[in-house]
Amino acid sequence: MKKKQKAEQFHAQGYDARKKGNYDIAIQNYTEALKIMPNHFKALFNRGFAYGKISQFEKAIEDYPKAIEIDPHNAYTYYNKVISLDSKRNYDSAYSCITRAIDIAPNNADFYHNRGFAYRKKKQFDAAI
């Protein structure tokens, strides 16, 4: 089996586990995919998401910049990174990331909603409104 096919197989197994809420198994599969293809965007993105779901925010925060480097135009990578940054109370970085997501996808209301929360947490209430 070719490397790419094997990596895709691990990714698919990880995604199935993730959908079932088996985040530890998902992380293991995504990690295997990344051993084969270190620049597998979906494996990085989804592993970051799974890490966030089990409150391993530092590990999630480590995966998202790598995913952003591969695809800097995916707004949801920034959005998911915001959730982990927020959990670590890193509001300045969260604000920067959500603003980047808005720059990429200016019609997504959820992004504006979350930026409002970032402003509120920074006690910039007028900007939050």
Side-chain angles (χ1 to χ4, degrees):
M1 183 180 292
K2 293 181 182 178
K3 280 185 167 186
K4 184 175 180 176
Q5 289 174 317
K6 189 68 175 169
E8 289 298 335
Q9 182 180 22
F10 278 118
H11 176 262
Q13 291 170 353
Y15 191 73
D16 285 342
R18 185 188 121 177
K19 288 192 304 188
K20 295 174 184 168
N22 298 327
Y23 300 111
D24 289 325
I25 293 169
I27 290 166
Q28 290 172 8
N29 281 288
Y30 295 140
T31 300
E32 289 302 316
L34 290 164
K35 286 179 184 175
I36 298 165
M37 288 183 63
N39 288 330
H40 192 295
F41 171 80
K42 288 181 183 178
L44 282 165
F45 178 91
N46 288 318
R47 188 174 72 174
F49 179 88
Y51 277 135
K53 286 295 194 180
I54 61 171
S55 300
Q56 291 188 16
F57 302 113
E58 288 295 331
K59 289 183 177 181
I61 291 168
E62 289 174 17
D63 277 345
Y64 290 128
K66 295 172 192 171
I68 289 168
E69 187 177 308
I70 296 165
D71 182 1
H73 304 292
N74 186 307
Y76 287 96
T77 309
Y78 294 94
Y79 177 75
N80 286 357
K81 185 178 177 185
V82 166
I83 294 166
S84 293
L85 289 166
D86 182 69
S87 297
K88 298 297 290 177
R89 300 177 190 253
N90 188 340
Y91 305 128
D92 289 332
S93 292
Y95 168 80
S96 296
C97 280
I98 199 64
T99 297
R100 181 67 183 123
I102 290 169
D103 290 344
I104 295 167
N107 295 325
N108 189 311
D110 287 338
F111 296 170
Y112 290 95
H113 178 80
N114 279 287
R115 187 165 67 179
F117 278 124
Y119 276 125
R120 188 178 82 192
K121 290 175 180 180
K122 291 173 59 171
K123 302 198 183 312
Q124 295 178 357
F125 302 112
D126 288 339
I129 294 169

